Amino acid sequence: MAITAMIAGLLLAGQAAATPANDVAFDELAAGADRAAIEKIEANSALNENDPARLINLGIAHAREGREDLAREYFSAVVANPDRYQMETAEGKWVDSRNLGRQALAMLNRGEFSTARYAANR
């Protein structure tokens, strides 16, 4: 299943704007600014290190920059995470975080991150 805009996102009820606790660099990834997205996510101390949206977006950015092994580590961590979340993709579909991680791994295996733009929204 192709996800046109995967950038992982967990929409918080009633929240219109990104706050440090949920800013997973959606805008940067959607704009194709992968290095800026990585820097923003890694600098955001308000994000839990195991947050699935954080991990998926880091994986996407690294995959698009050619660091597939690192991307695989991030996506695999989402799949193995004992906490499950319903996450909204940038195209508005709600997906279980582990399923989104598995989809990201499958896309990585098919080489899709090198030819298309994906991202997760918060």
Side-chain angles (χ1 to χ4, degrees):
M1 171 181 159
I3 298 177
T4 59
M6 180 185 264
I7 302 168
L10 180 61
L11 284 183
L12 304 175
Q15 186 158 351
T19 64
N22 73 0
D23 189 348
V24 289
F26 175 83
D27 292 335
E28 288 79 2
L29 285 171
D34 299 316
R35 171 63 19 215
I38 292 166
E39 291 171 2
K40 185 174 192 174
I41 294 169
E42 289 179 345
N44 188 347
S45 62
L47 281 174
N48 181 308
E49 292 222 356
N50 295 316
D51 181 305
R54 176 187 183 276
L55 296 172
I56 289 172
N57 285 1
L58 281 171
I60 291 168
H62 283 289
R64 293 190 324 197
E65 289 208 333
R67 290 182 291 282
E68 292 183 2
D69 290 340
L70 187 53
R72 188 173 314 282
E73 288 179 31
Y74 286 121
F75 297 149
S76 295
V78 173
V79 173
N81 192 329
D83 296 323
R84 300 177 86 142
Y85 300 91
Q86 286 297 309
M87 303 180 75
E88 186 178 18
T89 65
E91 59 185 10
K93 294 183 180 179
W94 289 92
V95 182
D96 177 273
S97 57
R98 290 182 189 170
N99 289 339
L100 197 59
R102 282 190 279 277
Q103 290 174 10
L105 282 168
M107 291 169 69
L108 184 64
N109 290 336
R110 292 189 302 264
E112 292 183 33
F113 289 107
S114 61
T115 59
R117 293 293 179 187
Y118 299 92
N121 184 12
R122 251 289 184 215

